Coordinates of all heavy atoms in Angstrom, one line a residue:
M172 N 102.9 -56.1 -38.7 CA 102.7 -55.8 -37.2 C 104.1 -55.3 -36.7 O 105.2 -55.8 -37.1 CB 102.3 -57.0 -36.5 CG 100.9 -57.5 -36.9 SD 100.0 -58.2 -35.5 CE 101.2 -59.4 -34.9
K173 N 104.0 -54.4 -35.8 CA 105.3 -53.9 -35.2 C 105.1 -54.0 -33.7 O 104.1 -53.6 -33.1 CB 105.5 -52.5 -35.6 CG 105.8 -52.3 -37.1 CD 107.2 -52.7 -37.4 CE 107.5 -52.2 -38.8 NZ 108.9 -52.6 -39.2
R174 N 106.1 -54.4 -33.0 CA 106.2 -54.3 -31.5 C 106.5 -52.9 -31.1 O 107.6 -52.4 -31.6 CB 107.2 -55.3 -31.0 CG 107.1 -55.3 -29.4 CD 108.1 -56.4 -28.8 NE 109.5 -56.0 -29.1 CZ 110.5 -56.6 -28.7 NH1 110.3 -57.7 -27.9 NH2 111.8 -56.2 -28.9
V175 N 105.7 -52.3 -30.2 CA 106.0 -50.9 -29.8 C 106.3 -50.8 -28.3 O 106.7 -49.8 -27.9 CB 104.8 -50.0 -30.2 CG1 104.7 -49.9 -31.7 CG2 103.5 -50.5 -29.6
Y176 N 106.0 -51.8 -27.6 CA 106.1 -51.7 -26.2 C 106.3 -53.1 -25.5 O 105.6 -54.1 -26.0 CB 105.0 -51.0 -25.6 CG 105.0 -50.6 -24.1 CD1 105.8 -49.5 -23.7 CD2 104.4 -51.4 -23.1 CE1 105.9 -49.1 -22.4 CE2 104.5 -51.0 -21.8 CZ 105.3 -49.9 -21.4 OH 105.3 -49.6 -20.1
S177 N 107.1 -53.2 -24.5 CA 107.0 -54.3 -23.6 C 107.0 -54.0 -22.2 O 107.6 -53.0 -21.8 CB 108.2 -55.3 -23.9 OG 109.4 -54.7 -23.6
A178 N 106.3 -54.7 -21.4 CA 106.1 -54.4 -20.0 C 106.4 -55.6 -19.1 O 106.2 -56.8 -19.6 CB 104.8 -53.8 -19.7
S179 N 106.8 -55.4 -17.9 CA 106.9 -56.5 -17.0 C 105.6 -57.0 -16.4 O 105.5 -58.0 -15.7 CB 107.9 -56.1 -15.8 OG 107.4 -55.1 -15.1
D180 N 104.6 -56.2 -16.7 CA 103.3 -56.5 -16.0 C 102.2 -56.5 -17.1 O 102.1 -55.6 -17.9 CB 103.1 -55.3 -15.1 CG 101.9 -55.5 -14.2 OD1 100.8 -55.7 -14.8 OD2 102.0 -55.5 -12.9
I181 N 101.4 -57.5 -17.0 CA 100.3 -57.7 -18.0 C 99.3 -56.6 -18.0 O 98.8 -56.2 -19.0 CB 99.6 -59.1 -17.9 CG1 98.6 -59.3 -19.1 CG2 98.9 -59.2 -16.6 CD1 99.3 -59.4 -20.4
G182 N 99.1 -56.0 -16.8 CA 98.2 -54.9 -16.6 C 98.7 -53.7 -17.3 O 97.9 -53.0 -18.0
A183 N 99.9 -53.5 -17.2 CA 100.5 -52.3 -17.9 C 100.5 -52.4 -19.3 O 100.1 -51.4 -20.1 CB 102.0 -52.1 -17.4
A184 N 100.7 -53.7 -19.9 CA 100.6 -53.8 -21.3 C 99.2 -53.6 -21.8 O 98.9 -53.0 -22.8 CB 101.1 -55.3 -21.7
G185 N 98.2 -54.1 -21.0 CA 96.8 -53.9 -21.3 C 96.4 -52.4 -21.4 O 95.6 -52.0 -22.1
F186 N 96.9 -51.7 -20.4 CA 96.7 -50.3 -20.3 C 97.2 -49.6 -21.6 O 96.5 -48.8 -22.2 CB 97.4 -49.7 -19.1 CG 97.4 -48.2 -19.0 CD1 96.2 -47.5 -18.6 CD2 98.5 -47.4 -19.3 CE1 96.3 -46.1 -18.6 CE2 98.5 -46.1 -19.2 CZ 97.4 -45.4 -18.9
I187 N 98.4 -49.9 -22.0 CA 99.0 -49.3 -23.2 C 98.1 -49.7 -24.4 O 97.8 -48.8 -25.3 CB 100.4 -49.7 -23.4 CG1 101.4 -49.3 -22.3 CG2 101.0 -49.4 -24.8 CD1 101.5 -47.7 -22.3
Q188 N 97.7 -50.9 -24.5 CA 96.8 -51.3 -25.6 C 95.6 -50.5 -25.6 O 95.1 -50.0 -26.7 CB 96.5 -52.8 -25.5 CG 95.6 -53.3 -26.6 CD 94.9 -54.6 -26.2 OE1 94.7 -54.9 -25.0 NE2 94.4 -55.3 -27.2
G189 N 95.0 -50.3 -24.4 CA 93.8 -49.5 -24.4 C 93.9 -48.0 -24.8 O 93.1 -47.5 -25.5
V190 N 95.1 -47.5 -24.4 CA 95.4 -46.1 -24.8 C 95.5 -46.0 -26.4 O 94.9 -45.1 -26.9 CB 96.7 -45.6 -24.1 CG1 97.1 -44.3 -24.7 CG2 96.5 -45.5 -22.6
L191 N 96.2 -46.9 -26.9 CA 96.4 -46.9 -28.4 C 95.0 -47.1 -29.1 O 94.7 -46.4 -30.1 CB 97.4 -48.0 -28.8 CG 98.8 -47.8 -28.3 CD1 99.6 -49.0 -28.8 CD2 99.4 -46.5 -28.9
E192 N 94.2 -47.9 -28.6 CA 92.9 -48.2 -29.2 C 92.0 -46.9 -29.1 O 91.3 -46.6 -30.0 CB 92.3 -49.4 -28.7 CG 93.0 -50.6 -29.1 CD 92.3 -52.0 -28.9 OE1 91.5 -52.1 -28.0 OE2 92.6 -53.0 -29.6
N193 N 92.2 -46.2 -28.0 CA 91.4 -45.0 -27.9 C 91.9 -44.0 -28.9 O 91.1 -43.1 -29.2 CB 91.7 -44.4 -26.5 CG 90.8 -45.0 -25.4 OD1 89.8 -45.7 -25.7 ND2 91.2 -44.9 -24.1
E194 N 93.1 -44.0 -29.4 CA 93.6 -43.2 -30.4 C 93.4 -43.7 -31.7 O 93.8 -43.1 -32.8 CB 95.1 -43.0 -30.2 CG 95.5 -42.3 -28.8 CD 95.2 -40.9 -28.8 OE1 95.1 -40.2 -29.9 OE2 95.0 -40.3 -27.7
G195 N 92.6 -44.8 -31.9 CA 92.3 -45.3 -33.2 C 93.3 -46.2 -33.8 O 93.3 -46.4 -35.0
I196 N 94.2 -46.6 -33.0 CA 95.3 -47.6 -33.5 C 94.9 -49.0 -33.0 O 94.7 -49.2 -31.8 CB 96.7 -47.1 -32.9 CG1 97.1 -45.8 -33.5 CG2 97.7 -48.2 -33.2 CD1 98.3 -45.2 -32.9
Q197 N 94.9 -49.8 -34.0 CA 94.6 -51.2 -33.7 C 95.8 -51.9 -33.0 O 97.0 -51.8 -33.6 CB 94.3 -52.1 -34.9 CG 92.8 -52.0 -35.4 CD 92.5 -53.0 -36.4 OE1 93.1 -52.9 -37.5 NE2 91.7 -54.0 -36.1
A198 N 95.7 -52.4 -31.8 CA 96.8 -52.9 -31.1 C 96.4 -54.2 -30.4 O 95.2 -54.4 -30.1 CB 97.3 -52.0 -30.0
L199 N 97.4 -55.1 -30.1 CA 97.1 -56.3 -29.4 C 98.3 -56.6 -28.4 O 99.4 -56.1 -28.6 CB 96.8 -57.4 -30.4 CG 97.9 -57.9 -31.3 CD1 98.9 -58.8 -30.6 CD2 97.3 -58.6 -32.5
V200 N 98.0 -57.3 -27.4 CA 99.0 -57.8 -26.4 C 99.4 -59.2 -26.7 O 98.6 -60.1 -26.9 CB 98.5 -57.6 -25.0 CG1 99.5 -58.2 -24.0 CG2 98.1 -56.2 -24.7
K201 N 100.7 -59.4 -26.9 CA 101.2 -60.7 -27.0 C 101.9 -61.1 -25.7 O 102.6 -60.3 -25.1 CB 102.3 -60.8 -28.1 CG 101.7 -60.8 -29.6 CD 102.9 -61.1 -30.5 CE 102.3 -61.2 -32.0 NZ 103.4 -61.7 -32.8
H202 N 101.7 -62.4 -25.4 CA 102.3 -62.9 -24.1 C 103.6 -63.6 -24.5 O 103.6 -64.5 -25.2 CB 101.4 -63.8 -23.5 CG 100.1 -63.2 -23.1 ND1 99.8 -62.6 -21.9 CD2 98.9 -63.1 -23.8 CE1 98.6 -62.2 -21.9 NE2 98.0 -62.4 -23.1
G203 N 104.7 -63.0 -24.0 CA 106.0 -63.6 -24.3 C 106.1 -65.0 -23.9 O 106.7 -65.8 -24.6
L204 N 105.5 -65.4 -22.8 CA 105.6 -66.7 -22.3 C 105.0 -67.7 -23.3 O 105.3 -68.9 -23.3 CB 104.9 -66.9 -21.0 CG 105.7 -66.3 -19.8 CD1 104.8 -66.3 -18.6 CD2 106.9 -67.1 -19.5
L205 N 104.0 -67.3 -24.1 CA 103.3 -68.2 -25.0 C 104.1 -68.3 -26.4 O 103.7 -69.1 -27.2 CB 101.9 -67.7 -25.3 CG 101.0 -67.6 -24.0 CD1 99.6 -67.2 -24.5 CD2 101.0 -69.0 -23.4
S206 N 105.2 -67.6 -26.6 CA 105.8 -67.6 -27.9 C 106.9 -68.7 -27.9 O 107.6 -68.8 -28.8 CB 106.5 -66.2 -28.2 OG 107.5 -65.9 -27.2
G207 N 107.0 -69.5 -26.9 CA 107.8 -70.6 -26.9 C 109.2 -70.3 -26.3 O 109.5 -69.2 -26.1
A208 N 109.9 -71.4 -25.9 CA 111.3 -71.3 -25.5 C 111.4 -70.5 -24.1 O 112.4 -70.1 -23.7 CB 112.2 -70.6 -26.5
A209 N 110.3 -70.4 -23.4 CA 110.4 -69.8 -22.1 C 111.2 -70.6 -21.2 O 111.2 -71.8 -21.2 CB 108.9 -69.6 -21.5
G210 N 112.1 -69.9 -20.4 CA 113.0 -70.6 -19.6 C 114.4 -70.6 -20.1 O 115.3 -70.6 -19.3
E211 N 114.5 -70.5 -21.4 CA 115.8 -70.4 -22.0 C 116.1 -69.0 -22.4 O 117.2 -68.7 -22.8 CB 115.9 -71.2 -23.3 CG 115.6 -72.8 -23.0 CD 115.6 -73.6 -24.3 OE1 115.9 -73.0 -25.4 OE2 115.1 -74.7 -24.2
L212 N 115.2 -68.1 -22.2 CA 115.3 -66.7 -22.6 C 115.4 -65.9 -21.3 O 114.9 -66.2 -20.3 CB 114.1 -66.2 -23.4 CG 113.9 -66.9 -24.8 CD1 112.6 -66.5 -25.3 CD2 115.0 -66.5 -25.7
P213 N 116.1 -64.7 -21.4 CA 116.1 -63.8 -20.3 C 114.8 -63.3 -20.0 O 113.9 -63.3 -20.9 CB 117.0 -62.6 -20.8 CG 117.0 -62.7 -22.3 CD 116.9 -64.2 -22.6
P214 N 114.5 -62.9 -18.8 CA 113.1 -62.6 -18.4 C 112.4 -61.5 -19.2 O 111.2 -61.6 -19.5 CB 113.3 -62.0 -17.0 CG 114.5 -62.7 -16.5 CD 115.4 -62.9 -17.7
T215 N 113.2 -60.5 -19.7 CA 112.6 -59.5 -20.6 C 112.0 -60.1 -21.8 O 111.1 -59.5 -22.4 CB 113.6 -58.4 -20.9 OG1 114.7 -59.0 -21.5 CG2 114.0 -57.6 -19.7
E216 N 112.5 -61.2 -22.3 CA 112.0 -61.8 -23.5 C 110.6 -62.5 -23.3 O 109.9 -62.8 -24.2 CB 112.9 -62.9 -24.1 CG 114.3 -62.3 -24.5 CD 114.0 -61.4 -25.7 OE1 113.3 -61.7 -26.6 OE2 114.7 -60.3 -25.7
C217 N 110.3 -62.6 -22.0 CA 109.0 -63.2 -21.7 C 107.9 -62.2 -21.2 O 106.8 -62.6 -20.9 CB 109.2 -64.3 -20.5 SG 110.3 -65.6 -21.0
W218 N 108.3 -60.9 -21.3 CA 107.3 -59.9 -20.9 C 106.2 -59.8 -21.9 O 106.5 -60.1 -23.1 CB 108.0 -58.6 -20.8 CG 108.9 -58.5 -19.6 CD1 109.2 -59.4 -18.7 CD2 109.7 -57.3 -19.2 NE1 110.0 -58.9 -17.7 CE2 110.3 -57.6 -18.0 CE3 109.8 -56.0 -19.7 CZ2 111.2 -56.7 -17.3 CZ3 110.5 -55.0 -19.0 CH2 111.3 -55.4 -17.9
P219 N 105.0 -59.4 -21.4 CA 104.0 -59.1 -22.4 C 104.4 -58.0 -23.3 O 105.1 -57.0 -22.9 CB 102.8 -58.7 -21.5 CG 103.2 -58.9 -20.1 CD 104.7 -59.2 -20.0
E220 N 104.0 -58.1 -24.5 CA 104.3 -57.1 -25.5 C 103.1 -56.5 -26.2 O 102.2 -57.2 -26.3 CB 105.2 -57.7 -26.7 CG 106.5 -58.4 -26.1 CD 107.2 -59.2 -27.2 OE1 106.5 -59.6 -28.1 OE2 108.4 -59.4 -27.0
V221 N 103.2 -55.2 -26.5 CA 102.1 -54.6 -27.3 C 102.6 -54.4 -28.7 O 103.6 -53.9 -29.0 CB 101.8 -53.2 -26.6 CG1 100.6 -52.6 -27.4 CG2 101.4 -53.3 -25.1
W222 N 101.8 -54.9 -29.6 CA 102.0 -54.7 -31.0 C 100.9 -53.9 -31.7 O 99.8 -54.1 -31.3 CB 102.1 -56.2 -31.7 CG 103.2 -57.0 -31.3 CD1 103.4 -57.5 -30.0 CD2 104.3 -57.5 -32.1 NE1 104.6 -58.3 -30.1 CE2 105.1 -58.3 -31.3 CE3 104.6 -57.4 -33.5 CZ2 106.2 -59.0 -31.8 CZ3 105.6 -58.1 -34.0 CH2 106.5 -58.8 -33.1
V223 N 101.3 -53.2 -32.7 CA 100.3 -52.5 -33.6 C 100.1 -53.3 -34.8 O 101.0 -53.9 -35.4 CB 100.7 -51.0 -33.9 CG1 100.8 -50.2 -32.7 CG2 102.1 -51.0 -34.6
M224 N 98.9 -53.4 -35.3 CA 98.5 -54.2 -36.4 C 99.1 -53.6 -37.7 O 99.6 -54.3 -38.6 CB 97.0 -54.3 -36.6 CG 96.3 -54.9 -35.4 SD 96.8 -56.6 -35.1 CE 96.0 -57.4 -36.4
E225 N 99.0 -52.2 -37.9 CA 99.5 -51.6 -39.1 C 100.9 -51.0 -38.8 O 101.1 -50.2 -38.0 CB 98.5 -50.5 -39.4 CG 97.1 -50.9 -39.6 CD 96.9 -51.9 -40.8 OE1 97.7 -51.9 -41.7 OE2 95.9 -52.7 -40.7
D226 N 101.7 -51.4 -39.8 CA 103.2 -50.9 -39.6 C 103.3 -49.3 -39.6 O 104.1 -48.7 -38.9 CB 104.0 -51.4 -40.7 CG 104.3 -52.9 -40.6 OD1 103.8 -53.5 -39.7 OD2 105.1 -53.4 -41.4
E227 N 102.4 -48.7 -40.3 CA 102.4 -47.2 -40.4 C 102.0 -46.5 -39.1 O 102.2 -45.4 -39.0 CB 101.6 -46.7 -41.7 CG 100.2 -47.0 -41.6 CD 99.8 -48.2 -42.5 OE1 100.6 -49.2 -42.5 OE2 98.7 -48.2 -43.0
D228 N 101.3 -47.3 -38.3 CA 101.0 -46.7 -36.9 C 102.1 -46.7 -35.9 O 102.0 -46.2 -34.9 CB 99.8 -47.5 -36.4 CG 98.5 -47.2 -37.1 OD1 98.4 -46.1 -37.7 OD2 97.6 -48.1 -37.0
E229 N 103.2 -47.3 -36.4 CA 104.3 -47.6 -35.3 C 104.8 -46.2 -34.7 O 105.0 -46.1 -33.5 CB 105.5 -48.3 -35.9 CG 106.6 -48.5 -34.9 CD 107.8 -49.1 -35.6 OE1 107.9 -49.2 -36.8 OE2 108.7 -49.5 -34.8
T230 N 105.1 -45.3 -35.6 CA 105.7 -44.0 -35.1 C 104.8 -43.3 -34.2 O 105.1 -42.8 -33.1 CB 106.1 -43.1 -36.3 OG1 107.0 -43.8 -37.1 CG2 106.8 -41.9 -35.8
R231 N 103.5 -43.2 -34.6 CA 102.5 -42.5 -33.8 C 102.3 -43.3 -32.5 O 102.2 -42.7 -31.4 CB 101.2 -42.3 -34.6 CG 100.4 -41.2 -34.0 CD 99.2 -40.9 -34.9 NE 98.1 -40.5 -34.1 CZ 97.0 -41.3 -34.0 NH1 96.8 -42.4 -34.8 NH2 96.0 -41.0 -33.2
A232 N 102.2 -44.6 -32.5 CA 102.1 -45.4 -31.3 C 103.2 -45.1 -30.3 O 103.0 -45.0 -29.1 CB 102.0 -46.8 -31.7
R233 N 104.4 -45.1 -30.9 CA 105.6 -44.8 -30.0 C 105.5 -43.4 -29.3 O 105.8 -43.3 -28.1 CB 106.9 -44.9 -30.7 CG 107.2 -46.4 -31.1 CD 108.5 -46.5 -31.7 NE 108.9 -47.9 -32.1 CZ 109.3 -48.8 -31.2 NH1 109.5 -48.5 -30.0 NH2 109.6 -50.0 -31.6
E234 N 105.0 -42.4 -30.1 CA 104.8 -41.1 -29.5 C 103.8 -41.1 -28.4 O 104.0 -40.5 -27.3 CB 104.4 -40.1 -30.6 CG 105.6 -39.8 -31.6 CD 105.1 -39.0 -32.8 OE1 103.9 -38.7 -32.9 OE2 106.0 -38.7 -33.6
I235 N 102.7 -41.8 -28.6 CA 101.6 -41.9 -27.6 C 102.1 -42.5 -26.4 O 101.9 -42.0 -25.2 CB 100.4 -42.6 -28.2 CG1 99.8 -41.7 -29.3 CG2 99.4 -42.9 -27.1 CD1 98.8 -42.5 -30.2
I236 N 102.8 -43.6 -26.5 CA 103.3 -44.4 -25.4 C 104.3 -43.5 -24.6 O 104.3 -43.5 -23.4 CB 104.0 -45.7 -25.9 CG1 102.9 -46.7 -26.4 CG2 104.8 -46.4 -24.8 CD1 103.5 -47.8 -27.2
E237 N 105.2 -42.9 -25.4 CA 106.1 -41.9 -24.7 C 105.4 -40.9 -23.9 O 105.8 -40.6 -22.8 CB 107.0 -41.3 -25.7 CG 108.3 -40.8 -25.2 CD 109.3 -40.5 -26.3 OE1 109.5 -41.3 -27.2 OE2 109.8 -39.3 -26.3
A238 N 104.3 -40.3 -24.4 CA 103.6 -39.3 -23.7 C 102.9 -39.9 -22.4 O 102.9 -39.3 -21.4 CB 102.6 -38.7 -24.6
V239 N 102.4 -41.1 -22.6 CA 101.7 -41.7 -21.5 C 102.6 -42.1 -20.3 O 102.3 -42.0 -19.2 CB 100.9 -43.0 -22.0 CG1 100.3 -43.7 -20.8 CG2 99.8 -42.5 -22.9
T240 N 103.8 -42.6 -20.7 CA 104.8 -43.1 -19.8 C 105.8 -42.1 -19.4 O 106.7 -42.4 -18.6 CB 105.4 -44.4 -20.2 OG1 106.2 -44.1 -21.4 CG2 104.5 -45.4 -20.6
A241 N 105.6 -40.8 -19.8 CA 106.7 -39.8 -19.6 C 106.9 -39.5 -18.1 O 105.9 -39.4 -17.3 CB 106.2 -38.5 -20.2
S242 N 108.2 -39.5 -17.7 CA 108.5 -39.1 -16.4 C 110.0 -38.7 -16.4 O 110.7 -38.9 -17.4 CB 108.4 -40.4 -15.4 OG 109.3 -41.4 -15.8
G243 N 110.3 -38.0 -15.3 CA 111.7 -37.5 -15.3 C 112.7 -38.5 -15.3 O 112.5 -39.7 -14.8
P244 N 113.9 -38.3 -15.8 CA 115.0 -39.3 -15.9 C 115.4 -39.6 -14.5 O 116.0 -40.8 -14.3 CB 116.1 -38.6 -16.7 CG 115.8 -37.2 -16.6 CD 114.3 -37.0 -16.4
E245 N 115.2 -38.8 -13.5 CA 115.7 -39.1 -12.1 C 114.7 -40.1 -11.4 O 115.0 -40.6 -10.4 CB 115.8 -37.8 -11.3 CG 114.6 -37.2 -10.8 CD 113.8 -36.5 -11.9 OE1 114.3 -36.4 -13.1 OE2 112.7 -36.0 -11.7
D246 N 113.5 -40.3 -12.1 CA 112.5 -41.0 -11.5 C 112.6 -42.5 -11.9 O 112.1 -42.9 -12.9 CB 111.1 -40.3 -11.9 CG 110.0 -41.0 -11.2 OD1 110.2 -41.9 -10.2 OD2 108.8 -40.8 -11.5
V247 N 113.3 -43.3 -11.1 CA 113.5 -44.6 -11.5 C 112.9 -45.7 -10.6 O 112.9 -46.9 -10.9 CB 115.0 -44.9 -11.6 CG1 115.6 -44.2 -12.8 CG2 115.7 -44.7 -10.3
T248 N 112.3 -45.2 -9.5 CA 111.7 -46.2 -8.5 C 110.2 -46.3 -8.8 O 109.6 -45.4 -9.3 CB 111.9 -45.7 -7.1 OG1 111.4 -44.4 -6.9 CG2 113.4 -45.7 -6.7
G249 N 109.7 -47.5 -8.6 CA 108.3 -47.7 -8.8 C 107.5 -47.0 -7.6 O 108.1 -46.5 -6.7
W250 N 106.2 -47.1 -7.8 CA 105.4 -46.5 -6.7 C 104.2 -47.3 -6.5 O 103.9 -48.2 -7.3 CB 105.0 -45.0 -7.1 CG 104.3 -44.9 -8.4 CD1 104.8 -45.0 -9.7 CD2 103.0 -44.5 -8.6 NE1 103.9 -44.8 -10.7 CE2 102.8 -44.5 -10.0 CE3 101.8 -44.3 -7.8 CZ2 101.5 -44.2 -10.6 CZ3 100.6 -43.9 -8.4 CH2 100.5 -43.9 -9.7
T251 N 103.5 -47.1 -5.3 CA 102.3 -47.9 -5.0 C 101.1 -46.9 -5.0 O 101.1 -45.8 -4.5 CB 102.5 -48.5 -3.6 OG1 103.6 -49.4 -3.6 CG2 101.2 -49.2 -3.3
C252 N 100.1 -47.3 -5.7 CA 98.9 -46.4 -5.9 C 98.3 -46.3 -4.6 O 97.9 -47.2 -3.9 CB 97.9 -47.1 -6.9 SG 96.4 -46.1 -7.0
P253 N 98.0 -45.0 -4.2 CA 97.3 -44.8 -2.9 C 95.8 -45.1 -2.9 O 95.2 -45.2 -2.0 CB 97.5 -43.3 -2.7 CG 97.7 -42.7 -4.0 CD 98.4 -43.7 -4.8
G254 N 95.3 -45.2 -4.2 CA 93.9 -45.5 -4.3 C 93.6 -47.0 -4.2 O 92.6 -47.3 -3.5
C255 N 94.4 -47.8 -4.9 CA 94.0 -49.3 -4.9 C 95.2 -50.2 -4.5 O 94.9 -51.4 -4.4 CB 93.5 -49.7 -6.3 SG 94.8 -49.6 -7.5
G256 N 96.3 -49.6 -4.2 CA 97.4 -50.4 -3.7 C 98.2 -51.1 -4.7 O 99.1 -51.9 -4.4
E257 N 97.9 -50.9 -6.0 CA 98.6 -51.5 -7.1 C 100.1 -51.1 -7.1 O 100.3 -49.9 -6.9 CB 97.9 -51.2 -8.4 CG 98.5 -52.0 -9.6 CD 98.2 -53.4 -9.5 OE1 97.1 -53.8 -9.2 OE2 99.2 -54.1 -9.7
S258 N 100.9 -52.0 -7.4 CA 102.4 -51.6 -7.5 C 102.6 -51.2 -9.1 O 102.2 -52.0 -10.0 CB 103.3 -52.8 -7.3 OG 103.2 -53.1 -5.9
L259 N 103.2 -50.0 -9.2 CA 103.3 -49.5 -10.6 C 104.7 -49.2 -10.9 O 105.6 -48.9 -10.1 CB 102.5 -48.2 -10.7 CG 100.9 -48.5 -10.5 CD1 100.3 -47.3 -9.8 CD2 100.3 -48.7 -11.9
E260 N 105.0 -49.3 -12.2 CA 106.4 -48.9 -12.7 C 106.6 -47.5 -12.7 O 105.6 -46.7 -12.8 CB 106.6 -49.5 -14.0 CG 106.7 -51.1 -14.1 CD 106.7 -51.6 -15.5 OE1 107.5 -51.0 -16.3 OE2 106.0 -52.5 -15.7
A261 N 107.8 -47.0 -12.5 CA 108.1 -45.6 -12.4 C 107.6 -44.9 -13.7 O 107.3 -43.7 -13.6 CB 109.6 -45.4 -12.2
A262 N 107.6 -45.6 -14.8 CA 107.2 -44.9 -16.1 C 105.8 -44.4 -16.1 O 105.4 -43.5 -16.8 CB 107.4 -45.9 -17.3
F263 N 104.9 -45.0 -15.2 CA 103.5 -44.6 -15.3 C 103.3 -43.4 -14.3 O 103.6 -43.4 -13.2 CB 102.7 -45.7 -14.9 CG 102.6 -46.8 -16.0 CD1 103.5 -47.8 -16.0 CD2 101.8 -46.7 -17.1 CE1 103.5 -48.8 -16.9 CE2 101.8 -47.6 -18.1 CZ 102.6 -48.7 -18.0
T264 N 102.6 -42.4 -14.8 CA 102.3 -41.2 -14.1 C 100.8 -41.4 -13.5 O 100.4 -40.5 -12.8 CB 102.4 -39.9 -14.8 OG1 101.5 -40.1 -16.0 CG2 103.8 -39.7 -15.3
Q265 N 100.2 -42.4 -14.0 CA 98.8 -42.7 -13.6 C 98.6 -44.1 -13.3 O 99.2 -44.9 -14.0 CB 97.8 -42.1 -14.7 CG 96.4 -42.1 -14.3 CD 95.6 -41.5 -15.5 OE1 96.1 -41.0 -16.5 NE2 94.2 -41.7 -15.4
C266 N 97.8 -44.5 -12.4 CA 97.5 -45.9 -12.1 C 96.7 -46.5 -13.3 O 95.6 -46.0 -13.5 CB 96.8 -46.0 -10.8 SG 96.3 -47.7 -10.4
W267 N 97.2 -47.6 -13.8 CA 96.5 -48.2 -14.9 C 95.3 -49.0 -14.4 O 94.4 -49.4 -15.1 CB 97.4 -49.1 -15.8 CG 98.2 -50.1 -15.1 CD1 99.6 -50.0 -14.7 CD2 97.8 -51.3 -14.5 NE1 100.0 -51.1 -14.0 CE2 98.9 -51.9 -13.8 CE3 96.6 -52.0 -14.4 CZ2 98.9 -53.1 -13.1 CZ3 96.6 -53.2 -13.7 CH2 97.7 -53.8 -13.1
N268 N 95.3 -49.3 -13.1 CA 94.3 -50.1 -12.5 C 93.0 -49.3 -12.2 O 91.9 -49.7 -12.5 CB 94.8 -50.8 -11.3 CG 93.9 -51.8 -10.8 OD1 93.3 -52.6 -11.5 ND2 93.6 -51.9 -9.5
C269 N 93.3 -48.1 -11.5 CA 92.0 -47.3 -11.1 C 92.1 -45.9 -11.7 O 91.1 -45.2 -11.4 CB 91.9 -47.3 -9.5 SG 93.2 -46.3 -8.8
G270 N 93.1 -45.5 -12.3 CA 93.1 -44.2 -13.0 C 93.6 -43.1 -12.1 O 93.6 -41.9 -12.6
R271 N 94.0 -43.4 -11.0 CA 94.5 -42.3 -10.0 C 95.8 -41.8 -10.5 O 96.7 -42.5 -10.8 CB 94.5 -42.9 -8.6 CG 94.9 -41.8 -7.6 CD 94.3 -42.2 -6.2 NE 94.7 -41.3 -5.2 CZ 94.2 -41.2 -3.9 NH1 93.2 -42.1 -3.7 NH2 94.6 -40.4 -3.1
E272 N 96.0 -40.4 -10.4 CA 97.2 -39.8 -10.7 C 98.3 -40.0 -9.6 O 97.9 -40.1 -8.5 CB 97.0 -38.3 -10.9 CG 96.1 -37.9 -12.0 CD 96.7 -37.5 -13.3 OE1 97.9 -37.3 -13.2 OE2 96.0 -37.5 -14.3
R273 N 99.5 -40.2 -10.0 CA 100.6 -40.2 -9.1 C 100.8 -38.8 -8.4 O 100.6 -37.8 -9.1 CB 101.9 -40.6 -9.7 CG 103.0 -40.8 -8.8 CD 104.3 -41.2 -9.5 NE 105.3 -41.5 -8.5 CZ 106.5 -42.0 -8.8 NH1 106.8 -42.1 -10.1 NH2 107.4 -42.3 -7.9
N274 N 101.0 -38.8 -7.1 CA 101.3 -37.5 -6.5 C 102.3 -37.6 -5.4 O 102.8 -38.7 -5.2 CB 100.0 -36.9 -6.0 CG 99.2 -37.8 -5.1 OD1 99.8 -38.6 -4.4 ND2 97.9 -37.7 -5.1
Ligands
ZN232 ZN1 95.1 -47.5 -8.5

């Protein structure tokens, strides 16, 4: 298994997992908080993580994630979905909650 993504938001991690599975890649979400030692680790170590089951899927999974989360380097602020009000990270060009495109 290979870790291919970590997100501050469980919904975002689930979205990535779904995208990978749509591409035929077996993926699962691991919860950083459940891996132990929470509280002694920096917050990013407790973020939900997306793992691929097969090591050979790692490269393709990373390409897919990059395509899904692609945004300009100047775009570093998050946004709020006008459709459902969800707070989204800047990396997402589409709302993972309701599917609405950022505009
Ligand atoms: Zn939305």
Side-chain angles (χ1 to χ4, degrees):
M172 294 213 308
K173 294 280 189 185
R174 184 177 67 175
V175 294
Y176 188 78
S177 65
S179 59
D180 189 303
I181 186 66
F186 171 77
I187 293 294
Q188 179 198 23
V190 168
L191 293 177
E192 291 192 335
N193 280 343
E194 296 288 336
I196 294 174
Q197 275 193 295
L199 60 84
V200 174
K201 282 190 172 188
H202 303 269
L204 283 170
L205 299 180
S206 61
E211 298 175 14
L212 295 169
T215 52
E216 294 296 318
C217 299
W218 286 5
E220 299 169 341
V221 181
W222 291 65
V223 294
M224 300 298 288
E225 305 295 337
D226 289 5
E227 61 261 35
D228 286 336
E229 181 187 8
T230 303
R231 203 170 140 249
R233 287 185 182 281
E234 287 172 0
I235 292 165
I236 291 166
E237 202 167 308
V239 172
T240 60
S242 63
E245 78 284 355
D246 186 9
V247 293
T248 57
W250 55 290
T251 300
C252 176
C255 68
E257 187 64 51
S258 293
L259 296 144
E260 293 172 43
F263 289 93
T264 58
Q265 190 178 350
C266 176
W267 50 259
N268 190 45
C269 72
R271 185 154 173 165
E272 300 260 348
R273 184 180 189 177
N274 52 29

